[in-house]
Amino acid sequence: MPTQGGEVLDFSRMNRVLEVRDEDFQADIEPGVIYQDLNESLRHKGLFFPPDPGARATIGGMIANNASGTRTVRYGATKDNILKLTVVLANGEVIETGTRASKTSSGYDLIHLFTGSEGTLGVVTKATVRLVGLPVEFSAAIATFPHVEAAARAVFEIIRSGCDPAFLELLAPECIELINKEMCLGLNPSPTLFMEFHGITEDQPAEILGMVEYICEDQGCEEFRSGLGRDERGRLLKARHDMAEMIRRNHPDCSPMVTDVAVPLTAYSRMIALARKEAHESGIPGYIFSHAGDGNIHLHFEGKSGDEKVWQTIDRINEHIVSEALKAGGTATGEHGVGMGKRRFMEQEHGSSLIWMRQIKQMFDPNGILNPGKIFLDGE
Ligand SMILES: Cc1cc2nc3c(=O)[nH]c(=O)nc-3n(C[C@H](O)[C@H](O)[C@H](O)COP(=O)(O)OP(=O)(O)OC[C@H]3O[C@@H](n4cnc5c(N)ncnc54)[C@H](O)[C@@H]3O)c2cc1C
């Protein structure tokens, strides 16, 4: 977004999968490849690239904001699945960084520096990504709870038990009502956990689900429905991925503001309760959905465009939630990045290390030509 004028780089024609080395579980790709298209092209090899943001994102965009999604609880975020990068620096130099080995302890980790740098340190022109095998067997379930705190506590217990969910998502009742309205799924409009477990035999994930059912019942679960077939699981997964767009469609006169805090799991239940209370008391349409297994919470507000009072309330709630997340040892942004909207929280989150981030920016881009106005507040 060229907020200060400038040139926009369009990667849509750099969209080739250059090489797939299936026996190394790696692919070399260009930044304009859309991750869903990459996974479609890998399906016949039984492989996939696991980070899955809700958006139809390019690999370049995913690397730039360290995107993650429903499968991150098992497979990590984008940064955990990048092995090598080719990057064009601000001075025109082209560097390659990283290794094709699955691990390294050689030198500074520039992969993790560029991943999540939001286009402010260099332009990614090629990436070697890590692939994983498609799961052989899966078992999916939904569990509903009397209140979100109980669902949040179940999340903690599921992770603690070592059940290793492939995804573990929490949807508040208002999201379930929307899904029922748009997709006629007839779900119980209660706080709901939607989860999936993988295994190599049919019995393995089913056995895990038995244990998870017991955990959920212990937390006051009202309904536990396991053994979802491929179709039902596919519809639920689509509903979860389309959540943000569904909300937008239902509020045509409004604009969105989405919180993206992530907290340690021990603070998760408290943060979910806080977000729920704030949303409820504000009277503004607010939807809570969460990558529960990562402690990542989205409170998606739809505020009337131009209504100053509504936007002041949304701003206040956002500040409060971020501030509480930071006090709990969390972050202002689990996956969406800083951009412009979260620059004001950088000092509170990073303290004196923000000075070192500025120095890194200065070293890579002394003239400030790469995505100016992002991450740092001017004059900070
Ligand atoms: C409906 C919706 C749902 C979403 N859900 C999720 C989610 O679940 N998880 C999540 O992590 N995110 C989510 N997002 C955010 C989304 O993941 C990111 O916006 C996405 O990764 C960006 O990809 P893009 O191709 O759209 O990139 P763009 O929006 O085009 O770019 C994003 C940033 O990357 C930089 N950039 C792009 N390409 C390069 C490159 N080659 N080199 C250097 N910098 C580059 C740009 O400068 C910009 O700062 C969602 C967004 C929407 C609209």
Side-chain angles (χ1 to χ4, degrees):
M1 210 183 266
T3 52
Q4 307 172 8
E7 289 174 14
V8 175
L9 306 185
D10 175 1
F11 293 101
S12 56
R13 287 168 64 192
M14 289 181 74
N15 62 351
R16 289 173 305 161
V17 176
L18 299 169
E19 189 182 353
V20 178
R21 293 178 294 281
D22 41 345
E23 292 186 0
D24 281 335
F25 295 90
Q26 293 172 7
D28 296 338
I29 47 185
E30 291 184 324
V33 172
I34 308 273
Y35 87 89
Q36 288 99 330
D37 296 345
L38 172 67
N39 282 343
E40 200 50 50
S41 75
L42 292 168
R43 187 190 287 267
H44 71 283
K45 292 182 185 287
L47 297 170
F48 75 114
F49 176 61
D52 62 334
R56 209 175 138 69
T58 62
I59 297 296
M62 287 176 67
I63 291 170
N65 88 310
N66 186 25
S68 55
T70 55
R71 300 197 193 101
T72 293
V73 63
R74 171 134 194 207
Y75 298 104
T78 302
K79 70 177 167 53
D80 304 305
N81 292 281
I82 302 293
L83 293 166
K84 274 189 85 170
L85 290 177
T86 304
V87 185
V88 181
L89 303 180
N91 65 2
E93 210 178 303
V94 182
I95 60 163
E96 275 193 23
T97 184
T99 171
R100 280 182 47 202
S102 69
K103 65 180 197 178
T104 172
S105 52
S106 172
Y108 297 141
D109 186 350
L110 297 187
I111 293 281
H112 281 84
L113 181 59
F114 286 114
T115 308
S117 65
E118 301 184 23
T120 62
L121 299 180
V123 174
V124 173
T125 54
K126 185 173 143 186
T128 299
V129 299
R130 191 193 296 276
L131 307 175
V132 298
L134 280 169
V136 181
E137 297 290 345
F138 74 89
S139 220
I142 47 179
T144 59
F145 294 82
H147 43 83
V148 281
E149 294 93 315
R153 275 199 313 272
V155 168
F156 171 71
E157 294 296 342
I158 291 169
I159 305 264
R160 194 168 68 149
S161 69
C163 286
D164 195 17
F167 61 78
L168 182 51
E169 297 285 306
L170 185 148
L171 296 158
E174 60 277 4
C175 298
I176 300 292
E177 276 163 13
L178 202 57
I179 291 173
N180 283 341
K181 179 179 162 203
E182 291 239 335
M183 301 178 79
C184 304
L185 291 188
L187 300 169
N188 184 355
S190 298
T192 299
L193 287 183
F194 175 32
M195 56 195 121
E196 184 171 299
F197 300 85
H198 294 167
I200 47 173
T201 64
E202 215 173 305
D203 292 345
Q204 208 181 359
E207 255 172 49
I208 296 172
L209 267 192
M211 186 165 163
V212 171
E213 181 169 4
Y214 176 75
I215 291 171
C216 289
E217 276 169 3
D218 216 32
Q219 297 304 327
C221 167
E222 289 172 332
E223 182 197 16
F224 190 89
R225 195 144 61 84
S226 57
L228 307 182
R230 234 166 242 283
D231 284 355
E232 191 172 8
R233 172 250 203 182
R235 279 199 299 274
L236 282 168
L237 202 53
K238 179 164 170 29
R240 172 60 192 89
H241 271 142
D242 293 350
M243 200 67 240
E245 280 165 28
M246 245 186 246
I247 297 170
R248 299 265 31 238
R249 266 202 302 278
N250 278 269
H251 297 277
D253 304 330
C254 295
S255 308
M257 201 293 301
V258 187
T259 67
D260 179 37
V261 294
V263 291
L265 271 192
T266 44
Y268 181 65
S269 162
R270 188 158 43 87
M271 283 306 300
I272 280 276
L274 172 69
R276 186 134 183 87
K277 179 169 171 288
E278 288 281 21
H280 186 69
E281 287 175 1
S282 73
I284 302 166
Y287 299 79
I288 294 174
F289 50 99
S290 163
H291 302 302
D294 309 320
N296 187 194
I297 300 164
H298 299 313
L299 166 55
H300 181 138
F301 274 120
E302 285 288 339
K304 272 257 176 306
S305 309
D307 187 331
E308 218 169 283
K309 206 163 149 237
V310 162
W311 283 98
Q312 275 170 3
T313 306
I314 291 177
D315 253 12
R316 182 195 56 73
I317 294 174
N318 183 27
E319 298 247 351
H320 184 203
I321 289 176
V322 170
S323 160
E324 289 301 312
L326 295 181
K327 275 191 221 153
T331 174
T333 175
E335 57 181 25
H336 292 167
V338 179
M340 294 179 288
K342 301 185 197 78
R343 291 179 302 181
R344 66 186 193 277
F345 304 123
M346 288 292 281
E347 190 162 9
Q348 197 185 344
E349 178 161 350
H350 297 287
S352 54
S353 64
L354 185 60
I355 298 166
W356 290 93
M357 290 190 197
R358 275 197 170 280
Q359 294 198 26
I360 289 169
K361 167 70 176 169
Q362 176 66 21
M363 187 182 71
F364 275 97
D365 183 19
N367 299 319
I369 62 170
L370 294 174
N371 212 3
K374 313 297 156 53
I375 299 184
F376 305 103
L377 275 176
D378 290 339
E380 202 172 57

